[in-house]
């Protein structure tokens, strides 16, 4: 289980013209398709990359282990905006803030022993995501922070400590509460360094930061104890603590750092409030999407990414001044 715990620290449209629709003289004078108006670089962790099967198919061949999926929000936006924006998507599952700023990351793919063994693991390192940003980049989106906080590790600890509790008490809060402020301070400092680096690499780019969706409902009585397609053995009391003292402060930290750098912040929590892991119409999967065959470890599905795409694309167009 120690290996599993380590691995989880990841844890516009254009009209088509037929030849018969134009006169021969018009066809002869047709111009080549124009280049994209804006260059967009998408940075982030698994909540940007997609990663899980419920967020689509991994489309890159050969795989690099980052597990970008075809229904993740950058890819949805890329299809929606057509030729307006040219996308470079270097988001990567399990990325920390430092992996965006300066670290060469070692992706893990879907290698999650003891539950799954990735036949292509181990993967070669990928460059720091910030290297994809150029001086001519027009817009940057970035969704990151959860792995720097250590949220997957926190979840795994809560699963362990809640096991056998019968759903009573707050064993995880009792064990981890004292170190959460330090973790949030690390997120804040690293986020500040990352935004400074991105502004230096692309002085004229508009930066859109993306927060995390609602994962845990306000009413945790919706969450069934020991349901592995929800939060399994995490107690209701610990879920309340995770929501109020861990996830909400994480989003608040990201929003504050973005504001201090003059960057936009996309708050996904309000639009996903009734689509948590424990809601019938969930946009975030539980520990498993389908128990016991599909590990999801609390990641957005395709509906969650479609919602993110709607809000992030609006923020991109607003930042660029495109109506």
């Amino acid at each position: 289980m120690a290996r599993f715990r380590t691995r989880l620290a990841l844890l516009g449209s254009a009209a088509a013209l037929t030849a018969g629709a134009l006169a021969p003289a018009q066809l002869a004078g047709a111009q080549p398709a124009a280049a994209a108006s804006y260059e967009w670089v998408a940075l982030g962790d698994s909540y940007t990359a997609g990663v899980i099967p419920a967020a689509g198919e991994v489309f890159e061949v050969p795989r690099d282990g980052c597990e970008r999926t075809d229904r993740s929000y950058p890819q949805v936006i890329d299809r929606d905006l057509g030729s307006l924006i040219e996308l470079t998507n270097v988001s990567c599952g399990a990325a920390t803030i430092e992996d965006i700023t300066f670290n060469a990351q070692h992706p893990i793919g879907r290698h999650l022993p003891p539950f799954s063994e990735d036949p292509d693991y181990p993967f070669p390192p990928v460059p720091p995501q910030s290297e994809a940003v150029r001086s001519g980049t027009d817009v940057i989106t970035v969704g990151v922070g959860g792995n720097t906080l250590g949220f997957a590790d926190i979840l795994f600890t809560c699963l362990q400590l809640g096991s056998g509790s019968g759903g009573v008490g707050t064993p995880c809060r009792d064990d981890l509460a004292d170190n959460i402020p330090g973790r949030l301070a690390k997120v804040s400092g690293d986020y500040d360094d990352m935004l400074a680096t991105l502004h230096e690499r692309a002085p004229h780019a508009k930066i859109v930061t993306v927060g995390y969706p609602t994962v845990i409902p306000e009413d945790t009585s919706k969450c069934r104890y020991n349901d592995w397609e929800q939060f399994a053995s995490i107690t209701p009391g610990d879920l309340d603590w995770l929501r109020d003292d861990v996830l909400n402060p994480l989003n608040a930290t990201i929003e504050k750092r973005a504001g201090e750098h003059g960057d936009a912040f996309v708050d996904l929590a309000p639009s996903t409030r009734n689509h948590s892991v424990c809601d019938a119409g969930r946009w975030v999967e539980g520990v498993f999407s389908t128990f016991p065959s599909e590990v999801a470890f609390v990641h957005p599905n395709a509906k969650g990414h479609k919602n993110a795409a709607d809000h992030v694309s609006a923020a991109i167009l607003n930042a660029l001044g495109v109506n």
Side-chain angles (χ1 to χ4, degrees), residues 203-239:
H204 305 294
K206 304 296 184 181
I207 299 180
V208 176
T209 65
V210 184
Y212 290 88
T214 296
V215 170
I216 302 167
E218 287 296 321
D219 179 9
T220 52
S221 68
K222 295 179 180 180
C223 301
R224 297 182 296 271
Y225 180 72
N226 268 346
D227 185 340
W228 284 85
E229 293 181 17
Q230 294 188 357
F231 289 103
S233 55
I234 303 178
T235 70
D238 278 334
L239 288 174

Side-chain angles (χ1 to χ4, degrees), residues 244-258:
D244 294 339
D245 292 358
V246 181
L247 290 176
N248 288 349
L250 172 61
N251 272 334
T253 298
I254 294 170
E255 182 176 16
K256 181 178 180 181
R257 302 317 298 171

Side-chain angles (χ1 to χ4, degrees), residues 15-53:
L17 299 176
T18 63
L22 294 175
Q26 290 175 299
L27 286 173
Q31 299 298 313
S37 300
Y38 302 100
E39 295 183 8
W40 164 34
V41 178
L43 315 174
D45 58 23
S46 53
Y47 273 61
T48 299
V51 173
I52 64 173

Side-chain angles (χ1 to χ4, degrees), residues 8 20 29 34 42 44 65 87 90 92 124 135 140 162-163 166 174 177 189 196 198 226 228 247 283 304 306 310 316:
L8 288 173
L87 168 64
V90 292
C92 193
S135 60
I140 303 164
S163 180
D174 298 344
L198 296 178
N226 268 346
W228 284 85
L247 290 176
W283 291 351
K306 178 60 172 68
D310 292 341
I316 290 173

Side-chain angles (χ1 to χ4, degrees), residues 97 183-193 253 256-257:
I97 300 171
R183 292 174 183 248
L184 289 168
K186 170 71 171 170
V187 171
S188 181
D190 286 3
Y191 216 94
D192 185 62
D193 292 342
T253 298
K256 181 178 180 181
R257 302 317 298 171

